[in-house]
Amino acid sequence: MKIREKMLPVLGPQGGEEEIQALREVIESGWWGKGPKVAEFEEKFAQMVGHKYAIAVTSASHGQDLIMKALGFKDIDVINPAISFIATAMIPLWNGFTTNIVDVKADTLCIDPGDVDRYKKPNSELLIAVNEAGVPADYDALRKVFGGFILEDTAHSCYTPGAGLGGDAAVWSFQAVKTMPGGDGGMITTDDKQLADRCREMTWFGVSSTWSRSQGRSGKPGYAWDYEVDLVGYKYYMIDIIAAICLEQMKKLPEHLKFRRHIQKRYNDELNPMIERPPHSETVQYYAPRVPAPHRDRLIDYLADKKIHTSVHFKPLYKYTPLKQNREYPVCETEWVRLISLPCHNRMKEDDIDYVIYWVNKYFEDQI
Ligand SMILES: Cc1ncc(COP(=O)(O)O)c(C=O)c1O
């Protein structure tokens, strides 16, 4: 097959006229900041997830940070899975907490409840469970071994039915390469009113929103300029420009997820048997099969020569200097060297999928 001219990206957002029109409306409305679009997005998102409250924020990372701050923890230990994006393990450090990285299960690469039980500490009060590539962690098993607050990192789960409801709160990501991208942005969802109110207050220095104050002064017309502040807050709220894109992406979500699952099925059906299939994902945030370890890096280089971008989700967190741990990770060490993410996103066309399958299979055929 002829080598293509343009690189095929591994991940990427897909938008069009609908997003452009939605942005135009916000820009022309004269209200660009946090306003009616954010309110509409929060309401629709809470409904989709089945949580009572949704608070739109600048990113999933800031959502996690806000939850840690709103819960008022002091000097705690935070349990994290070894395989995740660096945010999950670094945010506890922003707050002066320790990060306690535990091993993952070989099949799903989600946090291993058995390892949580072995390595939890007396001050382990928060556990962050990541639904890797949209595959849910085992929340029932986690509840049995961990009595503290469980934060469900749903950055890859938008949207898997039931996602977010396994923990005490969930954080979602709308970063540029996620399944429902807004360019950036995140959402906290929970049924805990006290936590939701506190997080909302903290999204803007403890000040109530200018949008709600622009709607009148307790029944009187005009702008309610005054506000009270009684806690230390941050600047983590989503703006209408982002919410407008997210709302359009939300409408397209069923169709986008259907196509991602189509890519997953074609790869599963047609890739060489040397490639170990990943567990089924409803969102297919990325398609990460496993290959025999000596082939992983060679395959990455081979595919790059064919203009196919790949990635690795993820390098174990304990390998990064600020997150070093003093223990062994037998499962993670065996599995992560076999991981390779192949292109999977809504910009792909059918012949892009053909192209990836052809070159991955050719690599393995040429080995024999
Ligand atoms: C598992 C996981 N958690 C959290 C994040 C952080 O999301 P955000 O970029 O919205 O802060 C990411 C981003 O890639 C992620 O993959």
Side-chain angles (χ1 to χ4, degrees):
M1 189 179 280
K2 190 166 171 286
I3 297 176
R4 49 189 283 146
E5 291 194 354
K6 261 181 79 181
M7 192 62 94
L8 176 62
V10 62
L11 300 169
Q14 169 68 327
E17 279 309 313
E18 298 81 3
E19 286 78 5
I20 292 168
Q21 182 54 29
L23 275 177
R24 180 171 293 123
E25 278 168 28
V26 171
I27 287 164
E28 287 174 359
S29 78
W31 198 282
W32 295 11
K34 180 183 170 180
K37 291 285 174 195
V38 169
E40 182 186 343
F41 182 38
E42 287 178 337
E43 195 185 324
K44 289 189 168 150
F45 201 83
Q47 224 167 46
M48 176 174 82
V49 172
H51 264 146
K52 286 189 186 136
Y53 310 103
I55 299 106
V57 286
T58 28
S59 64
S61 302
H62 284 162
Q64 278 186 29
D65 188 36
L66 216 50
I67 288 173
M68 288 181 205
K69 289 173 160 68
L71 289 170
F73 289 129
K74 293 273 176 294
D75 300 326
I76 61 160
D77 177 72
V78 181
I79 301 176
N80 269 271
I83 299 258
S84 181
F85 180 58
I86 195 152
T88 56
M90 193 175 275
I91 293 160
L93 305 185
W94 294 358
N95 290 283
F97 305 154
T98 53
T99 277
N100 179 358
I101 298 172
V102 301
D103 214 342
V104 292
K105 291 176 67 174
D107 52 356
T108 59
L109 299 182
C110 292
I111 193 163
D112 177 5
D115 213 49
V116 171
D117 199 25
R118 278 188 290 282
Y119 285 93
K120 66 188 175 193
K121 299 179 184 165
N123 69 335
S124 301
E125 290 192 35
L126 173 64
L127 180 150
I128 303 174
V130 179
N131 300 327
E132 278 300 326
V135 177
D138 187 345
Y139 292 94
D140 290 342
L142 287 169
R143 288 273 179 219
K144 286 190 187 129
V145 298
F146 183 76
F149 191 96
I150 297 182
L151 176 53
E152 191 170 338
D153 181 334
T154 38
H156 305 162
S157 297
C158 188
Y159 173 70
T160 306
L165 306 179
D168 296 295
V171 278
W172 308 79
S173 174
F174 314 117
Q175 180 261 344
V177 300
K178 295 298 188 289
T179 49
M180 207 180 91
D184 226 328
M187 189 77 83
I188 296 169
T189 62
T190 182
D191 280 340
D192 181 335
K193 182 167 183 345
Q194 212 181 343
L195 175 65
D197 287 349
R198 192 151 255 259
C199 284
R200 190 177 294 286
E201 257 188 295
M202 285 177 142
T203 55
W204 192 36
F205 302 110
V207 179
S208 50
S209 112
T210 44
W211 170 252
S212 56
R213 282 182 288 115
S214 78
Q215 300 306 293
R217 302 169 296 151
S218 324
K220 288 186 267 174
Y223 177 60
W225 61 267
D226 197 13
Y227 48 78
E228 291 300 325
V229 171
D230 49 20
L231 51 69
V232 174
Y234 303 86
K235 192 165 187 286
Y236 283 177
Y237 58 83
M238 183 182 279
I239 58 172
D240 273 19
I241 286 176
I242 300 287
I245 302 175
C246 289
L247 281 164
E248 292 310 312
Q249 287 284 309
M250 201 172 174
K251 288 183 206 157
K252 297 177 179 176
L253 188 61
E255 176 201 323
H256 279 178
L257 293 183
K258 192 170 160 200
F259 185 67
R260 300 177 87 96
R261 289 193 294 266
H262 169 71
I263 301 173
Q264 175 176 243
K265 180 163 181 347
R266 283 209 55 200
Y267 283 163
N268 281 345
D269 289 348
E270 297 174 50
L271 285 174
N272 187 291
M274 288 280 281
I275 297 188
E276 198 180 306
R277 277 42 176 172
H280 175 83
S281 168
E282 285 291 305
T283 63
V284 210
Q285 168 60 58
Y286 48 82
Y287 182 86
R290 289 173 230 185
V291 295
H295 288 290
R296 199 270 303 270
D297 291 348
R298 278 186 237 153
L299 181 57
I300 289 174
D301 289 345
Y302 178 87
L303 293 176
D305 284 343
K306 310 298 180 245
K307 298 264 195 306
I308 299 172
H309 268 177
T310 55
S311 189
V312 173
H313 293 98
F314 293 92
K315 179 170 157 181
L317 295 176
Y318 51 79
K319 294 196 181 284
Y320 296 104
T321 304
L323 301 172
K324 291 262 187 267
Q325 309 277 307
N326 194 16
R327 56 158 291 194
E328 305 287 309
Y329 295 88
V331 177
C332 194
E333 281 297 303
T334 320
E335 298 305 327
W336 91 273
V337 286
R338 306 203 297 122
L339 286 171
I340 177 169
S341 297
L342 299 178
C344 181
H345 52 83
N346 294 97
R347 296 181 86 86
M348 287 176 80
K349 302 276 179 285
E350 216 60 48
D351 56 0
D352 294 327
I353 311 173
D354 294 338
Y355 187 82
V356 175
I357 293 170
Y358 175 85
W359 284 112
V360 173
N361 286 349
K362 180 99 175 74
Y363 171 87
F364 282 104
E365 281 156 22
D366 289 352
Q367 303 302 309
I368 302 159

